Amino acid sequence: YGLNNTPVGVLGVSIAADRFVHLRRRAIYTLLGIMAGCLIGASVLGYVLARSILIPVNNLLNGVEKITSGDLSYELQIRSKDELGTVALAFNRMARQLKELIGTLEQRIEAATKELQSTLAYMSAIIDNMADGLLATDPDGRITRSNPALQSMLGLEEGDFVGKQSVEVFDEDLANLMELTGSGREKYATAEIDMANER
């Protein structure tokens, strides 16, 4: 500037820009490296977290399939202490209780079956040794039970009549009586039937 504050000249100072360009480029590369590291770290962390959730869930589903298909001895192998571990423990406990319950029911059914077979054998012995003749049919007239006394009274040959229609085995009078009895039209029905030995 001159005496009356008028510009007289311009002074220029120049600094090489290479240093700034290099610093800027280094900052961009550093920033890109940090971003790539974050993406890789997030991917690895996501993969690890997904595996830590998906593998126990798949194990849980496989175990549930085995248990629901009837393999109550199968134990779910999830040892984590999170919600999945709690569910696995509950399933294992439920499977053990179901196995015990089914075992108890099987024992009771077996005992009841033996008792029923014993009762049926006892009743069958009583029926077979009755002095009176016994004949039972279903609503369709098929024979469900008879005893030796009936066969002797009617002079029938020994044989298994169960499942046969009464008209196939007995004469018309008895077949008609059985049909009348089975129809429910009469509370009581009687008929005179020719028996063996002209009785």
Side-chain angles (χ1 to χ4, degrees):
Y1 288 101
L3 295 174
N4 41 354
N5 270 345
T6 56
V8 177
V10 176
L11 176 65
V13 179
S14 90
I15 301 174
D18 290 345
R19 184 173 163 215
F20 294 110
V21 169
H22 181 67
L23 278 173
R24 188 172 141 218
R25 200 173 282 152
R26 218 166 83 188
I28 289 172
Y29 289 149
T30 304
L31 186 59
L32 287 173
I34 290 170
M35 287 173 63
C38 287
L39 282 172
I40 292 169
S43 298
V44 169
L45 185 61
Y47 176 75
V48 169
L49 284 173
R51 276 184 62 83
S52 69
I53 292 171
L54 289 177
I55 288 176
V57 166
N58 282 336
N59 289 342
L60 182 63
L61 289 174
N62 290 337
V64 168
E65 273 184 33
K66 289 196 175 188
I67 288 171
T68 54
S69 67
D71 184 6
L72 297 177
S73 60
Y74 184 81
E75 292 258 335
L76 294 174
Q77 302 298 322
I78 299 175
R79 302 288 181 228
S80 60
K81 298 187 187 269
D82 58 2
E83 290 82 2
L84 290 174
T86 306
V87 170
L89 284 173
F91 260 96
N92 289 340
R93 194 176 315 119
M94 179 188 68
R96 280 192 296 272
Q97 289 173 345
L98 277 172
K99 189 175 180 181
E100 289 172 11
L101 179 62
I102 288 172
T104 303
L105 286 174
E106 285 175 348
Q107 288 173 353
R108 287 183 181 173
I109 289 170
E110 188 178 343
T113 302
K114 285 180 181 175
E115 187 177 330
L116 180 62
Q117 287 172 342
S118 174
T119 303
L120 287 174
Y122 178 71
M123 295 298 292
S124 183
I126 291 173
I127 289 170
D128 286 344
N129 291 295
M130 284 173 57
D132 295 325
L134 175 96
L135 175 68
T137 63
D138 65 11
D140 296 326
R142 291 191 184 278
I143 300 169
T144 57
R145 188 77 168 91
S146 67
N147 67 351
L150 177 80
Q151 295 170 8
S152 174
M153 286 177 181
L154 298 177
L156 299 171
E157 293 181 15
E158 286 189 21
D160 188 10
F161 306 121
V162 174
K164 292 185 177 179
Q165 288 286 341
S166 54
V167 294
E168 296 174 37
V169 179
F170 305 108
D171 65 14
E172 189 178 345
D173 292 334
L174 185 55
N176 289 338
L177 176 63
M178 291 166 59
E179 185 182 341
L180 182 63
T181 306
S183 68
R185 292 190 303 265
E186 301 288 340
K187 192 169 184 181
Y188 302 103
T190 61
E192 288 189 17
I193 305 294
D194 291 328
M195 297 170 61
N197 302 323
E198 300 181 355
R199 288 183 293 167

